Amino acid sequence: MKQEELLDALFSLRDENYRLMLLRLIPNVPRESIIGVRTPELRRLAKELEDGESFLNSLPHRYFEENQVHSFLLEKDKDFEAVISRVEDFLPHVDNWATCDLMRPRVFARHLPALSGQIGLWLRSAHPYTVRFGLEMRMVFFLDAHFCPEYLEEAAGVRSDEYYVRMMVAWFFATALAKQYDAALPFLTKHRLDAWTHNRTIRKALESFRVSDSQKAYLRTLGVK
């Protein structure tokens, strides 16, 4: 499939009920930018696109689904430096949590030291979805074997009025409680987070099957008003 055929393919796969659901889930994007194509179909189209390089260079895209296809194409590239460059080009055009959270380039896992430094740059960005992406990459790749306590300090230092950034900080700390409980807990007991993020962290941790019942019982006592 050629790039010029992609839009026709997207509109041929339009599902109005799914589109309405997306409009509810992603209320901050223009309604006219969402076609309503399900994710498996988008992934298939990304695989079938013959001139992916040209498509990646055709920013900005008009439709939400084009951005999702863009994310799937970034997933496949095996050249770390090229992917970082592509992600840097793309992030300023990301305007919603769904596109942001979809990006999981596989090559990142093989270049963690270089990725770690890049995450620090993303977290200092003025663009909210660049910050959200940086937090998510830190959460995905650096809360297990490659964990360092300073990553918690780094996340706690993120300051933003943007809802989707604050939600990611809460998600990060809830995941840290599941994976690095002893290191993460003081950020709640010492009230290192603002009240909203503090309480949202606890709520998300209580929803996690990776947090034990005894830990959840204690977390329930830490809510703030």
Side-chain angles (χ1 to χ4, degrees):
M1 180 178 59
K2 300 292 186 182
Q3 180 180 343
E4 57 268 23
E5 299 172 314
L6 179 61
L7 274 182
D8 287 341
L10 289 171
F11 276 97
S12 73
L13 294 166
R14 185 172 197 163
D15 181 328
E16 185 60 24
N17 288 332
Y18 187 66
R19 176 176 177 272
L20 293 174
M21 185 190 76
L22 288 175
L23 290 172
R24 293 192 295 271
L25 291 174
I26 318 170
N28 61 310
V29 300
R31 296 177 64 87
E32 63 274 13
S33 72
I34 296 182
I35 299 171
V37 181
R38 294 180 180 273
T39 299
E41 296 289 359
L42 296 175
R43 189 178 289 278
R44 178 180 62 79
L45 292 176
K47 290 179 180 179
E48 293 178 0
L49 193 61
E50 296 174 13
D51 48 352
E53 186 80 9
S54 175
F55 180 75
L56 290 171
N57 288 328
S58 64
L59 290 167
H61 303 305
R62 179 178 179 183
Y63 293 101
F64 166 78
E65 283 79 5
E66 290 179 293
N67 283 333
Q68 302 302 84
V69 169
H70 194 114
S71 294
F72 285 133
L73 290 173
L74 290 175
E75 222 178 52
K76 300 188 299 181
D77 200 319
K78 298 178 181 179
D79 183 328
F80 177 76
E81 295 296 337
V83 172
I84 288 292
S85 179
R86 294 292 193 192
V87 169
E88 288 273 274
D89 290 342
F90 185 44
L91 280 172
H93 303 286
V94 175
D95 61 358
N96 66 88
W97 66 265
T99 301
C100 182
D101 295 1
L102 185 69
M103 280 192 290
R104 297 282 180 89
R106 299 188 189 105
V107 71
F108 280 4
R110 299 196 294 275
H111 298 270
L112 293 181
L115 176 63
S116 185
Q118 185 63 50
I119 287 171
L121 298 176
W122 289 331
L123 294 182
R124 293 193 288 275
S125 173
H127 181 243
Y129 291 100
T130 299
V131 177
R132 182 179 172 100
F133 181 70
L135 284 165
E136 185 176 4
M137 293 303 97
R138 187 67 84 197
M139 179 182 73
V140 169
F141 292 106
F142 294 95
L143 287 181
D144 294 296
H146 300 278
F147 172 72
C148 289
E150 62 212 50
Y151 298 150
L152 300 173
E153 293 285 349
E154 177 187 58
V158 171
R159 294 288 181 266
S160 177
D161 295 327
E162 294 283 346
Y163 172 82
Y164 290 105
V165 174
R166 298 173 76 193
M167 276 296 297
M168 182 54 75
V169 174
W171 185 9
F172 175 91
F173 274 98
T175 305
L177 286 167
K179 295 186 172 186
Q180 304 290 343
Y181 182 81
D182 291 339
L185 185 62
F187 286 82
L188 297 180
T189 58
K190 296 180 180 180
H191 301 286
R192 296 287 309 282
L193 308 175
D194 66 83
W196 186 93
T197 306
H198 176 109
N199 288 334
R200 190 58 63 116
T201 296
I202 293 172
R203 182 186 303 181
K204 292 187 76 65
L206 294 178
E207 295 170 353
S208 174
F209 67 89
R210 295 176 295 183
V211 177
S212 72
D213 289 343
S214 61
Q215 290 169 341
K216 288 179 180 179
Y218 181 58
L219 289 173
R220 288 189 181 95
T221 71
L222 298 179
V224 297
K225 294 183 179 180

